[in-house]
Amino acid sequence: MEVQATQKVKTTKQQWIQYMALVFSAFIAVEAMAFQSPAIPVISNHFQVPSHLAALIVLSFYIMSATLYPISGRLADKYGRKKVLLVGMAIFAVSEFAAAVSPTFSFLIVARMFQGVGVACIFPIVIAFIGVIFHEESRGVASGIFNSVQAIGAMLGAGLAGFLIKIYGWPIIYWVSGGLATIGFFTILFFVKESKGVVSGKLDYIGTMLLFIIAGTVLSVSTLVGQFGLTSPYTLGTLGVAILALAIMWIHGNRSAHPIIEISILKQKVFALIVLIYLIYTAAMQLLLYSMSFFLALRPGGDVAESGMFFMFNAGAAAIGGLIIGKLSDKVNNKKLLLVTYLLPLTAVLLLSRIDAYTQTPYILTLAGFFGFGAATAILIKYALQQIPPIKYGSGSGLLAVIRDFGAPLGSTTGIVLFSQFNTKAKTSSLVQQATDAGVSPGLMGDVQQAAATNGATISDALNAELVSLGIKFEDLLATALGEGATSAIQNLSYTVAGFFIVILILVFLIPQKQKEKVPLAVAPFEEKLEEKLEPSN
């Protein structure tokens, strides 16, 4: 029987200590993920891989994390959330140290895959604990703290990465992350109490296999487009396999008693809208951030430190915005708050579409902060937890995390690939036009294009002789072309991101107004009536 709750349940000091230990583990994971952003151009140059293949650094991580989120969430509900979290922290620490000593690009990719395994055991568990520890009336604040801690991790990670890499080289980011993960392991061990849900049935092996196929195919599309083109048989074949696997997954999920993806939760309108908004927002954010990383690092006079600063300002604003929006979500209409919040990044990205390669860095960093302030993750988490049964917080949170993490690699790899294509096309066009205006023979335009492809590393003798006779330095032509290429790329990508946010605002309008609902009185955290089994801390 359900009765109306008459008073707010107060969260104890012990529960806050546990929660701080939990969000510290999320901080470590986010910090390590943020370290990658400024590092990718440097790592790709170190191992001499093209920019579209450098996306594998991101892709390898997210294929594993996105696939394993629902699995780790289900295992956590069944065997213990603290146990799974500890396993994840251990795997994450070891894989970070392995990445630091990578002798080859392939070895680094394998290490990144294991980092994805570790993170898959962290994020959904922390989100699940929000539902376990906090009463619904306080989850907005808790989710806001979670979002802000993630943003602080991203801010410090991105900001420090640029300077650390510049001084010590790219391996330093993995040494630092491995050390922090080791500290996080012992923090969880000593301060977090065990918690379990109620899970029956065996692991869904068919669903797990399908999920791996879906993650591998969907997240590889952007890289395949960059390597072979959109109409290539490889790209179209991969898309076909992804669509087929998705259809089979849906049919299997409806027929299976214990599917790896909780289709029953996904069928709820509000939850489906929230995860779709989360997916698109994450993709849009990562697309812009990774595009800006290459823009700031590759534009004339730019470097990796500027890229790190952009991430830092963006994440710093998100940390402040997360706390404010999380607090407001417990007091005002969440649908209206979402609409207002998402107007901020839309405005910022429209302003970013007007910058060029020579725009002053302070102005760009101001827009980065404006863009970051519009993070509404706290509201999305609160909405999602309202739709998940308490006994399935782990698997439900895993579903939320897996869909979000499809957005991150889709956005980042797409941003890298599109930036590379837009930049290359505009840079080459600029060089050809400059060479034509300078009087270079039409028959040498093929040589100009070849020189553009290698950024002047390869210049034919004939072209070099003609440039000398005209009194022109190729370096001067290239500097102008690099600026025009970077400008064209970032402006085109900004319009793309703006389109994503317009779609998000349309989806927010489709969320139904919250109705007054009766809440079970037995919702106090850490009670058997919540159907949560809690064990003493080890």
Side-chain angles (χ1 to χ4, degrees), residues 2 39 41 80 111 121 150 160 169 191 204 247 276 285-286 302 386 450 457 462:
E2 291 186 347
C121 298
Q150 289 188 81
L160 289 174
F191 292 105
D204 180 10
L276 185 56
M285 181 180 68
Q286 293 299 314
Q386 290 171 352
Q450 181 182 12

Side-chain angles (χ1 to χ4, degrees), residues 22-286:
L22 289 161
V23 294
F24 178 63
S25 67
F27 166 84
I28 294 168
V30 171
E31 169 268 339
M33 293 160 70
F35 268 169
Q36 303 300 318
S37 307
I40 288 178
V42 179
I43 294 174
S44 63
N45 183 63
H46 174 82
F47 288 111
Q48 293 297 298
V49 296
S51 58
H52 61 271
L53 289 182
L56 290 173
I57 299 172
V58 177
L59 186 63
S60 57
F61 173 91
Y62 281 109
I63 285 178
M64 298 305 294
S65 65
T67 303
L68 295 176
Y69 275 135
I71 299 174
S72 64
R74 187 176 180 85
L75 292 174
D77 282 342
K78 186 173 184 177
Y79 297 108
R81 292 159 183 155
K82 177 179 177 179
K83 291 184 180 69
V84 173
L85 188 54
L86 286 172
V87 170
M89 294 299 294
I91 293 173
F92 189 69
V94 172
S95 59
E96 288 286 335
F97 291 137
V101 296
S102 297
T104 64
F105 186 69
S106 298
F107 188 95
L108 175 65
I109 295 303
V110 173
R112 288 285 292 158
M113 292 174 68
F114 278 99
Q115 289 168 20
V117 174
V119 167
C121 298
I122 298 173
F123 278 116
I125 315 303
V126 176
I127 294 175
F129 267 107
I130 294 177
V132 173
I133 295 175
F134 296 95
H135 186 276
E136 184 176 339
E137 295 177 356
S138 302
R139 288 176 188 166
V141 172
S143 299
I145 292 172
F146 175 71
N147 182 56
S148 292
V149 169
Q150 289 188 81
I152 292 170
M155 176 184 68
L156 294 178
L160 289 174
F163 293 102
L164 290 175
I165 293 169
K166 198 171 183 179
I167 299 172
Y168 301 105
W170 62 266
I172 187 64
I173 64 175
Y174 297 111
W175 288 117
V176 172
S177 296
L180 289 174
T182 303
I183 296 172
F185 177 90
F186 289 104
T187 302
I188 297 298
L189 181 65
F190 293 122
F191 292 105
V192 175
K193 288 184 178 181
E194 186 58 282
S195 167
K196 292 182 182 179
V198 178
V199 176
S200 59
K202 296 181 179 179
L203 181 65
D204 180 10
Y205 295 105
I206 295 177
T208 301
M209 180 185 68
L210 288 170
L211 191 56
F212 267 106
I213 294 172
I214 292 168
T217 51
V218 172
L219 300 183
S220 299
V221 169
S222 296
T223 302
L224 289 173
V225 170
Q227 181 73 14
F228 303 108
L230 179 61
T231 59
S232 163
Y234 299 104
T235 305
L236 295 177
T238 301
L239 278 172
V241 171
I243 294 171
L244 179 61
L246 281 167
I248 296 173
M249 170 70 84
W250 185 264
I251 295 171
H252 172 74
N254 281 306
R255 293 180 177 178
S256 175
H258 307 287
I260 192 66
I261 294 293
E262 292 284 350
I263 301 296
S264 61
I265 301 176
L266 196 57
K267 285 182 178 180
Q268 299 180 49
K269 180 180 178 180
V270 175
F271 188 86
L273 285 171
I274 290 304
V275 295
L276 185 56
I277 291 170
Y278 207 176
L279 171 71
I280 298 173
Y281 169 74
T282 304
M285 181 180 68
Q286 293 299 314

Side-chain angles (χ1 to χ4, degrees), residues 436-507:
T436 300
D437 294 343
V440 175
S441 303
L444 292 176
M445 289 305 158
D447 293 10
V448 172
Q449 293 177 355
Q450 181 182 12
T454 61
N455 283 337
T458 303
I459 304 177
S460 67
D461 293 338
L463 176 60
N464 188 57
E466 179 130 350
L467 290 174
V468 170
S469 68
L470 293 171
I472 300 172
K473 292 183 179 180
F474 184 81
E475 292 79 5
D476 295 336
L477 301 180
L478 180 62
T480 300
L482 287 174
E484 293 184 5
T487 298
S488 175
I490 203 61
Q491 289 181 351
N492 279 292
L493 286 167
S494 295
Y495 289 127
T496 301
V497 174
F500 283 10
F501 276 101
I502 291 173
V503 173
I504 288 173
L505 289 172
I506 294 172
L507 291 173

Side-chain angles (χ1 to χ4, degrees), residues 309-321:
M309 289 291 290
F310 184 88
F311 277 80
M312 186 174 72
F313 271 70
N314 175 267
I320 299 171

